[in-house]
Amino acid sequence: MRKRVLSGIQPTGNIHIGNYLAAVQNWVLRQDEFENIFCIVDLHAITIYQDPRILKRQIRQLAALLIASGIDPQKSFVFVQSQVSAHAQLAWILNCFTPMGWLNRMTQFKEKSKECKNEVSTGLFDYPVLMAADILLYETDLVPVGEDQKQHVEFARDIAKRFNSIYGPTFKIPEVLIPEVGARIMGLDEPTKKMSKSKERFGHAIYLLDSPDQIRAKIMAAVTDSGRDIHFDQSRPGIYNLLVIYELFTKYPRPDIERRFEGKGYVALKKELIEVIIEHLRPLQSRYQKLMEDSGQIDSILQKGAVAVRPITEKTLAAVKEKVGLW
Ligand code: AMP
Ligand code: TRP
């Protein structure tokens, strides 16, 4: 029996190389090994206000980007969260078993609520419960995510255990799967903070749809330090981040990378990194453009994905309702 993998990604804005290197690329690389379920989490996206027309477009764009990145709809289910109503239903039930204190501890809520320009919604506070529902509906074995989501997966495990202890074995306890390298890609302009979709500064992130000129400008401007030698040294966050990005795009071993740049300065690394990123993204971008010419095809993939996963979710939801005593 293959293990079942589930992960989610928000359709808010273009995805960046942090999302790609820590999450999407790993989903693609291990696609044959697992049974895969990938969810475009639009219900999570609206925990912060989204312009409706833009959101709708971004859902389709994200689906196209995932497929252009190598997610194969023949091997993986890809669907939109709001199309499978059991996600919201299970989230409600789990809410009723979630102590508020557990949610109060979530670091992402603390950060995001500080950044929120408008009022903070109850949905943003409750976000981890919906994420737990996403995971627990599918008897998920593994949840591959970046480091920033680790606490949320642990939260899903805790809720599952709590529910199981009250009602008897119901949910499978999922494991988090964090990449050993690159679990936290840092902002190019601020290498002590994680690369984030919500930062609007030009040089902060490289997006999968960036042009060669944009990539060049952003990497050349990336913050480093006053050193010269090129080593994987975490105490020099700027150069370390660039080296990790280089490593993950090329898959070269670290000693080879260090040897390659021995005696050369940071500019040499930056120049080569630029070419590596441009060449890696070129075929992905052309697949994306092709897919976007036929949005009917994307919609049909998402539709099929939802139809395929619904029965799994209905089964779990029915079992949970039965346990709780609902009709
Ligand atoms: P999101 O865009 O927030 O839905 O995130 C999608 C995936 O990308 C999740 O698995 C995140 O953990 C991961 N991710 C987001 N930002 C970063 C980052 N800067 N470094 C590594 N992984 C990230
Ligand atoms: N919260 C995750 C993020 O922002 C996205 C997400 C939603 C997710 N549901 C999930 C990830 C379930 C893994 C499993 O990155």
Side-chain angles (χ1 to χ4, degrees):
M1 278 281 277
R2 279 183 306 165
K3 290 198 167 172
R4 183 176 283 166
V5 151
L6 175 132
S7 201
I9 181 161
Q10 298 197 58
T12 43
N14 196 336
I15 69 178
H16 55 57
I17 57 171
N19 303 126
Y20 179 74
L21 295 173
V24 179
Q25 194 185 42
N26 293 327
W27 305 347
V28 171
L29 290 173
R30 304 187 72 178
Q31 211 170 188
D32 290 317
E33 193 182 329
F34 300 124
E35 193 191 338
N36 315 286
I37 303 178
F38 301 119
C39 183
I40 297 179
V41 294
D42 55 346
L43 295 172
H44 278 110
I46 60 164
T47 56
I48 291 175
Y49 176 78
Q50 305 292 327
D51 179 325
R53 284 157 308 180
I54 298 179
L55 179 59
K56 248 204 159 107
R57 197 172 65 226
Q58 282 180 341
I59 291 171
R60 204 173 270 138
Q61 287 171 342
L62 176 57
L65 265 180
L66 292 177
I67 294 163
S69 301
I71 299 290
D72 177 351
Q74 306 294 330
K75 296 180 183 167
S76 302
F77 297 128
V78 184
F79 69 99
V80 180
Q81 187 186 33
S82 65
Q83 297 228 305
V84 180
S85 54
H87 287 251
Q89 293 182 59
L90 181 61
W92 178 259
I93 297 173
L94 295 180
N95 268 329
C96 301
F97 296 89
T98 305
M100 300 244 300
W102 290 14
L103 286 170
N104 271 327
R105 287 202 289 271
M106 295 294 116
T107 52
Q108 191 170 75
F109 172 73
K110 289 180 199 159
E111 285 160 20
K112 281 197 182 179
S113 55
K114 259 189 259 152
E115 283 171 20
C116 240
K117 293 177 196 107
N118 304 317
E119 255 170 347
V120 176
S121 73
T122 309
L124 188 65
F125 184 61
D126 200 30
Y127 179 115
V129 180
L130 178 59
M131 179 160 160
D134 299 340
I135 297 168
L136 300 179
L137 271 176
Y138 295 93
E139 299 184 63
T140 301
D141 295 295
L142 299 168
V143 186
V145 284
E147 169 77 33
D148 63 326
Q149 296 302 314
K150 191 169 171 216
Q151 193 184 34
H152 289 161
V153 180
E154 277 161 7
F155 175 92
R157 287 167 57 89
D158 290 342
I159 296 207
K161 287 182 195 159
R162 183 178 168 94
F163 192 98
N164 289 353
S165 76
I166 301 172
Y167 292 106
T170 310
F171 294 121
K172 185 177 252 184
I173 312 298
E175 302 283 339
V176 67
L177 192 62
I178 308 263
E180 272 169 38
V181 175
R184 201 174 166 82
I185 300 293
M186 309 310 256
L188 297 175
D189 60 347
E190 198 181 11
T192 50
K193 301 239 166 76
K194 76 161 187 176
M195 187 177 283
S196 152
K197 282 177 182 165
S198 56
K199 297 265 162 40
E200 280 158 13
R201 299 186 302 267
F202 173 79
H204 177 73
I206 289 179
Y207 294 98
L208 296 195
L209 296 177
D210 275 356
S211 68
D213 282 346
Q214 287 171 318
I215 295 169
R216 233 171 254 126
K218 290 176 182 183
I219 295 290
M220 287 316 287
V223 170
T224 51
D225 51 49
S226 57
R228 262 196 67 82
D229 51 325
I230 295 182
H231 292 294
F232 282 88
D233 172 3
Q234 298 209 38
S235 68
R236 291 150 62 200
I239 202 72
Y240 182 75
N241 192 39
L242 294 181
L243 280 168
V244 166
I245 295 171
Y246 184 88
E247 177 185 16
L248 291 172
F249 273 115
T250 60
K251 307 276 181 244
Y252 296 156
R254 287 191 173 188
D256 291 5
I257 297 174
E258 290 180 341
R259 228 172 293 126
R260 192 181 187 92
F261 293 107
E262 212 175 286
K264 300 184 184 164
Y266 292 173
V267 174
L269 169 65
K270 285 185 166 183
K271 285 196 166 149
E272 206 174 308
L273 178 58
I274 289 167
E275 293 316 312
V276 162
I277 299 175
I278 292 174
E279 288 317 312
H280 189 102
L281 295 185
R282 197 191 301 280
L284 189 157
Q285 292 178 352
S286 80
R287 285 194 294 273
Y288 171 82
Q289 301 303 348
K290 258 219 170 81
L291 283 160
M292 287 305 284
E293 283 164 18
D294 182 2
S295 58
Q297 190 196 346
I298 299 287
D299 293 4
S300 126
I301 289 169
L302 294 174
Q303 206 56 45
K304 279 193 195 131
V307 168
V309 301
R310 255 182 223 125
I312 311 175
T313 65
E314 293 301 335
K315 187 167 161 254
T316 308
L317 188 62
V320 170
K321 285 169 87 174
E322 182 62 34
K323 296 244 165 140
V324 178
L326 300 172
W327 274 63

